[in-house]
Every structure is written in C-alpha cells, then in structure tokens.
C-alpha cells in the first residue's frame, strides 16, 4: 500500500509518482480523490490511496511515503510580526527579530560586531596619521615628530640627518665637519700666530687679541685698558689723575677745585666725578646743576586739599573735616555728636563731611526743611492694605485696619454703631446693651497722666437720670480707670504711663437709670498709643 498526503499545490506530482510504475511492477491504481476544499479553507488536503500487487520480486519496500516541504514564508502563511523576519525550515518556519546595527557595526550570526576600519582600509587618516580602531569607530593618531637632527623616512621612522653631506656645508672655512648622531661638530684647523694675535674663527688668518675684553691685561684699579694691535695701554679714568709717587690713579675732588662754580646749592664729590644735590622742597633740574621748586601737591601728600609754596606745601581740609596733628590727614567732624541742641527731630546720621537727618523706616517722610519728620497718612494716600470690609484709621507713624461687626441679635445702623433687634425678657433688656458704638482714639507715649481720654453720657439727658460707668473688658494690665463726673456723665482716664507704642481695645459699659428702669449702653474703644511726634 502506497499512500501520499499532499496539499493542493503538489497533487499532480503525487499522482505521477504513484501511477507511473511499469514493466517489473504491475500496479493497480484504484484511487479515491477526496474533494479539494478551496477557500474559506486555505489549505485542502488530498488523500490518495493506491493498492498494488507485486508480480515479481522487487527490492522496493512494502510501503512508500512521499513528503514535500511547504515554504510558508513565500506563501504568506506565516505568523511573523512586522518587525520580524520569516525564515523557512523543513516542515515549518522561524520568526527572527530584525537586527539593525548602528554605524560602525555589522551583523554577524545575528549579533552586531564592530567593524575594524583600520584593517578593512575604510578609514580616512592622512599620511601623517596612524589609524587606531575603537568600538564602533576609529581615531587617527598623529605619528611622532622627530627631534632636531632627525627626519622621518617613508615608514615614519626617525633617522639621523647627515649635516656634513648637505650641499651647503655647515662649518666655515678653516673647520672640518664631523657628523654625529642627531648633530655635527666643527673642528678648527690648526694655524700658528705671533704673540698678541690668535687664529680667526675660520682658521684662515691671524687676528689681534683684545687683551682688554678678554681680561688678559694688567691695568690697576681705577685705570682704563686701551687695546692696541698686538698689545694694550693703561690710562686713568675720567676724574682721576696718575700719582707718579704711588704709581696709581687717584680721584680728583672737583668740588674743592672749583668751589661755587659747579652746583647751585650743594656739591658732593664722588669717585671719579661729582654730584649736585638740592635741599628739601627742591629738585635737580635737567642740566644737573640748578635746583627747581618741587610741587609736592602732585604726589598727593594731603588727604584732601594741598597748596604748594616755595620749597614746601600746606595741607587744607574741606568743610566738615579738620586737619589732624600730622598736618596731612583730614578727619570727618561728627556733627551729630558735637552739636548743641537737636539737629534732627528723629535721628541724626553722620556722613563724611556733613550729616543727614533720618526718619523711621515706615510711617514718616522727611519734611522740606530736611530736619523734621512728618507723619504719612496712609489712609489718605491709599498706601494701606485694608480690605473693602475694613476701615483704615491713620495713627502717628502708621495705620490700623478696623472692622466693625455687629454681634448676633444686632443690626448695623451706621459704620460705627449696632442697634439691638429684640429683647426676649425683661432681664435681658436690662443686661444686654441697647446700643454698641465703636470709637478709635490715638495718643502718644509722652502724654501727661492722669489723662482723661473719653467721656460718656446719655444724649439728651433728663432730670433724674443717673449713670453707672465701668470697664468690662480690655483693662487687664490696669492702665485705665473710670470716674463719674456728675449724675449723668462718666469719664475714662489713662492713669499709668505707657512707655512703648501699644494698642488697646476696651469695653466701657454705661448703665442708665431712667424712670425706674436700667438701660445698658456699650462703647468699644480702640486706643492706640503711638511714639512721640518727630
């Protein structure tokens, strides 16, 4: 029995293979072909069975099986993704990820390997550079330069230069050139000269020996050596004369020989000459004899003003400074410390040569006279930061943002007054204020105490009225007190000195007795104690 399982693409090949047996093999080819299934089934299988009977002996196996590989990659039946590469295998396929190598690398066995540009000759290094491979790239290193006396051959190696073999010989006439490694030397040819002469640098002639320059002379101290052809001569220097007895050169004192004729002021003898000098305040003129007045002020000897006078100078100070005992330095006068009385209303600040009046950093501005400080009304100028729901109140050196809110069961009848709405019972009517009024007062720390700062009473007042005044809140430090002026008038006093600026909020209660009943009124006082006027 021969059987063949094939796909639609190779059905004819399978039929030809199974039904073409001849002479030695007697075949019976009954076969059944299953219907081919075309799409929607993409692959249809055809089953073919053949029954054979052998009439002769044969070496064929009793059963044969034929299989042909399908290239899924060409038929687009693979399942590889867009970034994968399909590789056909026997009976199947493999999806391999596509590899993209960066510049300087190449794919080898699915791995990015470095490209050796130096070996492949793909580099761009010049003749004077050497290629050195690196990961993903290469670099060009400059070949080493040869030191002086060497040159590079075609391979870049340093070889010695034969200076003696060049066309222009390095040694002058009378010298032999000898090449050395990296250099050369010149050896002078030998020539015989008379005493007082020596061979020339080129060795071709004899020239005079300068005994004066080569220190071969025997001139004594104070003598000048003069060279002569083949010899030399010793003379005295200018300003010296030869002493026949001591056999040496001695100094000539020009100041004694020509008194009052050489210098305008002072003549000083020096070895071999003389020197003119001037007294303090003068300098030697360009002729070296006369003296000129020195303008010492050009060298800034004074800290401020300098006046030149003949042979000297005088230092002066500008207004606001005084001259110290050294006669050169000017020191600032501290007007703030030396002034009699008050120069400034708030603060005197000494500055170099003068003074300035200053005001506090906030709340004040300098008046036109430059001495007094004037309060800034921030509420008028709009320099405050009070909200729309607050009222700006100016005080000395500042301002306050005040908010008047009415408590529960009260309504706001004006910007500073709250009226009671209802009264649940008779007791509440007597104890709770009928009206709450807000007041703001401002005083300075130097106020004379005791000081009456507030008066309270009914308006209008009737015969038989009587009031009781008390501070119910805000007087914990006992700065304030109350006093009854008459039957229907009371007052609030500040009876303790407040030394520093401070804000108070005190509640002053007035109970009015009228026609047999009590009515309570409450005055809330904002008391601002500010610094003294500047």
């Amino acid at each position: 029995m021969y059987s063949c399982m094939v796909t639609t693409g190779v059905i004819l090949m399978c039929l030809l293979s199974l039904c073409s047996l001849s002479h030695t093999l007697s075949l019976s080819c009954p076969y059944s072909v299953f219907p081919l299934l075309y799409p929607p089934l993409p692959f249809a299988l055809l089953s073919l069975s053949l029954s054979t009977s052998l009439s002769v002996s044969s070496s064929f196996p009793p059963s044969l099986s034929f299989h042909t590989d399908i290239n899924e990659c060409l038929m687009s039946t693979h399942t590889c993704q867009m970034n994968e590469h399909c590789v056909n295998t026997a009976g199947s396929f493999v999806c391999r990820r596509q590899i993209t190598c960066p510049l300087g690398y190449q794919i080898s066995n699915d791995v990015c390997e470095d490209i050796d540009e130096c070996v492949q000759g793909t580099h761009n290094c010049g003749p004077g550079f050497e290629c050195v491979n690196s990961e993903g790239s290469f670099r060009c290193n400059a070949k080493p330069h040869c030191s002086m006396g060497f040159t590079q051959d075609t391979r870049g190696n340093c070889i010695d230069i034969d200076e003696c073999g060049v066309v222009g010989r390095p040694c002058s006439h009378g010298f032999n050139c000898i090449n050395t490694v990296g250099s050369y030397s010149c050896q002078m040819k030998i020539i015989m000269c008379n005493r007082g002469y020596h061979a020339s640098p080129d060795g071709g002639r004899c020239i005079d020996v300068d005994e004066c320059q080569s220190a071969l002379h025997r001139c004594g101290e104070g003598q000048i050596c003069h060279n002569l052809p083949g010899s030399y001569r010793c003379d005295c220097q200018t300003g010296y004369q030869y002493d026949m007895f001591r056999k040496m050169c001695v100094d000539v004192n020009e100041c004694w020989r020509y008194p009052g004729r050489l210098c305008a002021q002072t003549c000083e003898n020096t070895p071999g000459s003389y020197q003119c000098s001037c007294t303090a305040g003068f300098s030697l003129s360009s002729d070296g004899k006369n003296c000129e007045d020195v303008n010492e002020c050009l060298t800034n000897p004074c800290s401020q003003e300098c006046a030149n006078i003949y042979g000297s100078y005088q230092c002066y100070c500008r207004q606001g400074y005084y001259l110290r005992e050294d006669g050169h330095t000017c020191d600032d006068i501290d007007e703030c410390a030396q002034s009699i009385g008050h120069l400034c209303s708030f603060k005197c600040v000494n500055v170099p040569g003068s003074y300035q009046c200053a005001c506090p950093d906030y709340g004040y501005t300098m008046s036109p006279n430059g001495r007094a400080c004037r309060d800034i009304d921030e509420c008028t100028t709009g320099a405050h930061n009070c909200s729309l729901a607050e009222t700006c109140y100016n005080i000395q050196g500042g301002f306050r943002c005040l908010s008047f809110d009415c408590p529960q069961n009260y309504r706001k009848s004006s910007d500073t007054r709250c009226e009671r709405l209802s009264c649940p019972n008779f007791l509440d009517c007597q104890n709770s204020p009928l009206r709450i009024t807000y007041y703001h007062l401002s005083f300075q720390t130097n106020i004379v105490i005791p000081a009456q700062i507030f008066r309270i009473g009914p308006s209008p007042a009737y015969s038989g009225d009587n009031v009781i005044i008390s501070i119910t809140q805000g007087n914990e430090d006992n700065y304030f007190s109350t006093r009854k002026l008459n039957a229907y008038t009371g007052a609030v006093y500040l009876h303790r000195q407040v030394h520093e600026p401070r804000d108070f909020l005190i509640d002053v209660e007035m109970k009015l007795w009228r026609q047999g009943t009590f009515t309570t009124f409450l005055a809330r006082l904002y008391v601002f104690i500010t610094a003294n006027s500047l």
Side-chain angles (χ1 to χ4, degrees):
M1 172 70 67
Y2 296 93
S3 65
C4 181
M5 299 295 294
V6 296
T7 62
T8 305
V10 292
I11 183 61
L12 294 179
M13 182 182 297
C14 186
L15 291 173
L16 293 175
S17 299
L18 296 176
C19 297
S20 61
L21 298 178
S22 60
H23 59 283
T24 57
L25 182 63
S26 177
L27 295 177
S28 174
C29 294
Y31 59 86
S32 62
V33 178
F34 292 90
L36 298 179
L37 299 178
Y38 287 98
L41 295 177
F43 302 101
L45 298 179
L46 178 64
S47 177
L48 180 64
S49 62
L50 297 89
S51 299
T52 60
S53 59
L54 297 179
S55 59
V56 292
S57 297
S58 175
S59 61
F60 286 94
S63 65
L64 295 177
S65 177
F66 298 92
H67 299 279
T68 302
D69 176 56
I70 299 172
N71 191 335
E72 295 86 351
C73 298
L74 292 179
M75 299 180 66
S76 299
T77 59
H78 59 84
T79 58
C80 297
Q81 302 296 325
M82 294 295 295
N83 60 344
E84 295 178 330
H85 176 65
C86 177
V87 179
N88 186 62
T89 60
S92 184
F93 62 92
V94 176
C95 295
R96 295 182 179 177
R97 183 174 57 88
Q98 293 183 2
I99 301 175
T100 302
C101 295
L103 185 64
Y105 292 85
Q106 61 184 0
I107 300 176
S108 177
N109 295 327
D110 294 338
V111 177
C112 290
E113 293 184 352
D114 174 57
I115 299 174
D116 193 339
E117 295 86 354
C118 300
V119 175
Q120 296 184 6
T122 58
H123 61 86
N124 57 354
C125 298
F129 294 85
E130 181 181 3
C131 177
V132 178
N133 185 62
S134 62
E135 280 294 326
S137 184
F138 64 92
R139 65 177 182 273
C140 299
N141 293 343
K143 294 182 178 179
H145 295 285
C146 298
S147 58
M148 184 178 296
F150 294 87
T151 184
Q152 284 186 340
D153 58 10
T154 56
R155 296 185 177 181
N157 300 319
C158 295
I159 59 175
D160 176 55
I161 299 175
D162 187 2
E163 293 84 357
C164 299
V166 297
V167 177
R169 292 185 177 273
C171 298
S172 58
H173 294 287
F175 289 84
N176 295 323
C177 178
I178 299 176
N179 184 60
T180 61
V181 178
S183 184
Y184 66 94
S185 63
C186 297
Q187 292 185 355
M188 185 177 61
K189 298 178 181 178
I190 299 176
I191 184 174
M192 302 300 295
C193 297
N194 294 331
R195 183 177 181 180
Y197 294 87
H198 64 87
S200 61
D202 59 4
R205 58 192 180 91
C206 293
I207 58 176
D208 175 54
V209 175
D210 191 345
E211 294 86 355
C212 299
Q213 294 293 332
S214 59
L216 298 176
H217 62 86
R218 296 184 179 181
C219 297
E221 183 179 358
Q223 291 183 315
I224 299 176
C225 177
H226 293 280
N227 185 60
L228 299 174
S231 183
Y232 65 94
R233 184 183 73 246
C234 297
D235 295 329
C236 290
Q237 299 180 9
T238 303
Y240 291 86
Q241 61 184 5
Y242 190 72
D243 189 341
M244 298 295 295
F245 297 100
R246 292 189 290 176
K247 304 294 183 182
M248 61 179 299
C249 295
V250 295
D251 175 56
V252 177
N253 193 332
E254 295 86 356
C255 297
W256 288 354
R257 181 173 292 185
Y258 311 103
R261 296 166 56 186
L262 299 177
C263 301
Q265 288 189 0
T266 304
C267 179
E268 180 183 358
N269 184 62
T270 59
S273 184
Y274 69 95
Q275 183 176 2
C276 295
S277 59
C278 302
T279 58
F282 296 89
S283 63
L284 195 63
S285 61
S286 58
D287 60 6
K289 297 182 179 181
N290 296 309
C291 293
E292 299 176 348
D293 176 55
V294 176
N295 188 354
E296 295 88 353
C297 295
L298 297 177
T299 59
N300 299 320
C302 305
S303 62
Q304 288 189 359
E305 304 295 334
C306 177
N308 184 61
I309 59 178
Y310 190 72
S312 185
Y313 65 96
Q314 180 64 48
C315 293
Y316 298 93
C317 296
R318 293 188 288 270
Q319 184 178 0
Y321 296 86
Y322 70 93
L323 189 65
R324 295 178 58 179
E325 295 180 356
D326 60 6
H328 297 81
T329 307
C330 292
D331 279 348
D332 174 55
I333 298 174
D334 190 348
E335 295 85 356
C336 299
Q338 298 181 8
S339 65
I340 299 176
H342 295 287
L343 294 176
C344 304
S345 63
F346 174 68
K347 182 179 181 182
C348 179
V349 180
N350 186 61
V351 296
S354 184
Y355 71 95
Q356 292 179 352
C357 294
C359 294
D361 295 335
Y362 306 100
Y364 293 90
T365 182
M366 183 62 67
S367 61
N369 63 12
R371 299 179 59 186
C373 295
R374 185 170 57 191
D375 174 57
I376 299 174
D377 190 345
E378 294 86 355
C379 299
T380 303
T381 60
H384 61 84
N385 57 356
C386 298
S387 65
L388 296 177
E390 296 174 324
T391 301
C392 177
Y393 176 68
N394 185 64
I395 61 174
Q396 187 75 18
F399 65 95
R400 294 292 185 270
C401 296
L402 304 179
S403 177
F404 303 105
D405 295 327
C406 295
Q408 188 176 4
N409 199 32
Y410 288 83
R411 66 177 181 86
K412 197 170 188 180
S413 60
S414 68
D415 291 339
T416 60
R417 181 172 296 177
C418 298
E419 300 285 349
R420 188 177 63 197
L421 295 177
S422 61
C423 190
N425 52 62
F426 177 76
L427 184 61
D428 287 341
C429 290
Q430 288 190 326
N431 294 332
S432 63
L434 177 65
R435 183 183 302 116
I436 302 175
T437 308
Y438 291 86
Y439 300 90
H440 38 77
L441 311 173
S442 179
F443 304 97
Q444 298 177 6
T445 54
N446 61 351
I447 186 173
V448 179
I449 59 172
Q452 184 185 120
I453 63 173
F454 183 73
R455 297 177 67 177
I456 186 171
S459 179
Y462 297 99
S463 177
D465 287 351
N466 198 356
V467 295
I468 301 174
I469 307 298
S470 63
I471 299 176
T472 60
Q473 189 174 353
N475 193 27
E476 289 78 8
D477 296 331
N478 198 27
Y479 279 99
F480 304 92
S481 62
T482 60
R483 186 180 305 173
K484 191 172 181 180
L485 302 180
N486 52 48
Y488 50 83
T489 305
V492 178
Y493 285 83
L494 176 67
H495 65 263
R496 282 183 57 191
Q497 194 77 46
V498 182
H499 300 284
E500 298 292 336
R502 185 172 176 182
D503 297 347
F504 297 92
L505 175 59
I506 59 176
D507 289 350
V508 179
E509 184 182 73
M510 180 185 73
K511 289 184 176 294
L512 173 63
W513 174 261
R514 176 177 290 176
Q515 297 179 355
T517 60
F518 276 110
T519 304
T520 305
F521 298 88
L522 180 65
R524 305 204 73 186
L525 305 183
Y526 285 94
V527 182
F528 304 108
I529 306 298
T530 63
N532 300 337
S533 298
L534 305 180

